[in-house]
Amino acid sequence: MSAQLQEQAATQSGFLYNARRQLFQSVPPIPANVRLDGKTVLVTGANVGLGLACTRHFLELGAARLIMAVRSISKGEAAAALFKKEFASAQIDVWQLDMELPSSVQAFAARCKADIPRLHVAVLNAGLGKEFFVRTAEGKQRETTLQVNYLSTVLLAVLLLPLMKPNSSESDKAPGRLTLISSDASLGEKLPAVPAGSTILDTMDDSSKFEGYQQYARTKLMLNMFTAKLASDVVSPSEVIINTCNPGATKGTGAISAVQSKIILAVMTLLFAVLGRTPEDAARAYVHASLVLGAESHGSFTDWLVRCWPLFMYGDKGRRATDRLWDETLAELGFANIVDVLKTVKG
């Protein structure tokens, strides 16, 4: 449905529109008929901030089993211990996942495949913004924000898809629900100009042109682009409904820590203090994206409603950039046989 909202995109990508939306949009309650009884749910970055708040929402909705994917097992177990007291009937598992390391993503996905008969809901929330350029330790040693927010997130999303399709042993044939967390920072962003002979990913990996908050915004734009292509060309909404979700400005998440300008950081800190939602309220957007919105949200950018894509994604230029990014990403993730995985889920 985001694909049909191009005429509104220029307005909705602007700062004033999003400031008004943040200030005046009500945060609706989770509908009373939404339940997760008997369902298995996964949340990445589940021990802090929005991920922790989302985890609580899902447990309150009766999730039978909840996988908390965390970088630090000790911190994850500390968070889970409180939930286990409150939600004694739920099975709560804490599994390690380091999104900086592709090998950790693969190992986590393999563990899911071996241990989870059917994954009904997954919210890929783990993300970050780096103030300075830092490379990861594996493979092509990509810049950390690029690796975590985009490459590892889409790798995990694809590897989980086979587990999320309805299977013949279940009476419930409802589609799986996969939500990837984006940001309204992506709405007015563009990908960088790519020099001749280079690629989008290599251009994003150029330390000489790095600016922390812009890198964050661009990786979230890329996430929207890949998700739209995945939904339109590969996965049927009758099997897995895939969307991205924007929680909006949220207090205490550290999303603006990558801003390098002290003046801009001061202004944004004030705006977040005035306009920012609590993590509990913002995480309801996750619940709506992954449980309330239906097939109309497939491939779309959402909060509590289906919204416009970032303006850059529309038109011939946006489609060409999306196709190019898709091809580059499949090549980059070839070590995980991602093309073969996509063939198994193609609708």
Side-chain angles (χ1 to χ4, degrees):
M1 186 175 171
S2 289
Q4 302 168 14
L5 300 178
Q6 181 174 357
E7 291 184 0
Q8 303 171 35
T11 298
Q12 293 193 13
S13 65
F15 171 77
L16 289 178
Y17 176 89
N18 284 286
R20 287 196 299 269
R21 178 185 57 79
Q22 181 80 22
L23 188 59
F24 297 113
Q25 181 185 26
S26 62
V27 178
I30 300 166
N33 65 337
V34 172
R35 296 292 301 171
L36 286 168
D37 303 279
K39 306 290 188 182
T40 298
V41 180
L42 183 155
V43 180
T44 67
N47 64 303
V48 293
L50 282 159
L52 184 66
C54 179
T55 298
R56 170 171 288 280
H57 283 314
F58 284 152
L59 289 168
E60 289 173 343
L61 294 174
R65 184 179 186 188
L66 198 140
I67 311 296
M68 298 178 66
V70 299
R71 186 174 184 177
S72 167
I73 289 292
S74 60
K75 292 179 181 178
E77 291 287 5
L82 300 177
F83 287 142
K84 289 176 180 179
K85 291 180 181 179
E86 188 173 354
F87 304 98
S89 63
Q91 178 181 341
I92 302 173
D93 299 321
V94 179
W95 292 359
Q96 187 167 40
L97 172 62
D98 188 340
M99 297 288 280
E100 292 188 18
L101 305 176
S103 61
S104 180
V105 176
Q106 287 182 281
F108 179 84
R111 185 175 185 179
C112 289
K113 181 179 179 181
D115 198 70
I116 303 174
R118 166 88 193 280
L119 179 61
H120 299 91
V121 180
V123 173
L124 305 191
N125 158 78
L128 53 74
K130 287 285 189 180
E131 183 179 358
F132 301 108
F133 191 99
V134 179
R135 292 199 177 277
T136 54
E138 284 188 1
K140 291 190 175 182
Q141 298 181 327
R142 292 295 193 185
E143 186 277 323
T144 304
T145 309
L146 175 62
Q147 183 66 54
V148 171
N149 291 1
Y150 180 64
L151 290 168
S152 286
T153 298
V154 300
L155 173 60
L156 181 58
V158 171
L159 294 180
L160 291 177
L161 281 173
L163 282 177
M164 304 196 73
K165 297 170 59 176
N167 59 53
S168 58
S169 64
E170 278 192 313
S171 58
D172 181 2
K173 301 302 181 185
R177 302 302 305 262
L178 175 61
T179 295
L180 291 74
I181 303 308
S182 185
S183 169
D184 53 10
S186 69
L187 290 174
E189 193 54 73
K190 301 178 180 179
L191 293 188
V194 179
S198 188
T199 66
I200 295 171
L201 293 175
D202 286 344
T203 305
M204 288 283 294
D205 205 31
D206 185 346
S207 60
S208 69
K209 299 177 181 178
F210 179 83
E211 194 286 318
Y213 190 73
Q214 183 181 60
Q215 185 82 340
Y216 170 83
R218 284 175 169 172
T219 57
K220 294 299 187 178
L221 168 62
M222 294 162 71
L223 197 63
N224 291 325
M225 294 166 71
F226 186 92
T227 303
K229 179 81 170 177
L230 179 65
S232 67
D233 289 11
V234 180
V235 182
S236 167
S238 65
E239 294 193 324
V240 184
I241 296 174
I242 305 167
N243 54 36
T244 60
C245 176
N246 165 41
T250 305
K251 293 181 173 71
T253 61
I256 60 174
S257 61
V259 176
Q260 290 167 304
S261 166
K262 292 183 179 179
I263 295 175
I264 295 175
L265 178 60
V267 171
M268 292 185 70
T269 299
L270 177 61
L271 288 173
F272 268 59
V274 174
L275 301 178
R277 300 187 177 104
T278 65
E280 291 73 24
D281 280 347
R284 286 190 215 165
Y286 291 11
V287 177
H288 275 256
S290 60
L291 300 181
V292 180
L293 297 178
E296 77 281 1
S297 73
H298 192 55
S300 293
F301 179 77
T302 77
D303 47 24
W304 287 271
L305 303 169
V306 174
R307 300 288 185 180
C308 302
W309 284 328
L311 183 60
F312 178 78
M313 291 176 61
Y314 291 101
D316 291 340
K317 184 176 180 180
R319 284 188 286 272
R320 289 195 300 271
T322 297
D323 290 344
R324 181 174 184 177
L325 177 64
W326 174 266
D327 291 340
E328 287 186 21
T329 304
L330 296 191
E332 177 94 3
L333 302 178
F335 62 87
N337 299 316
I338 192 171
V339 172
D340 292 336
V341 176
L342 289 173
K343 288 178 182 177
T344 70
V345 297
K346 188 172 178 63

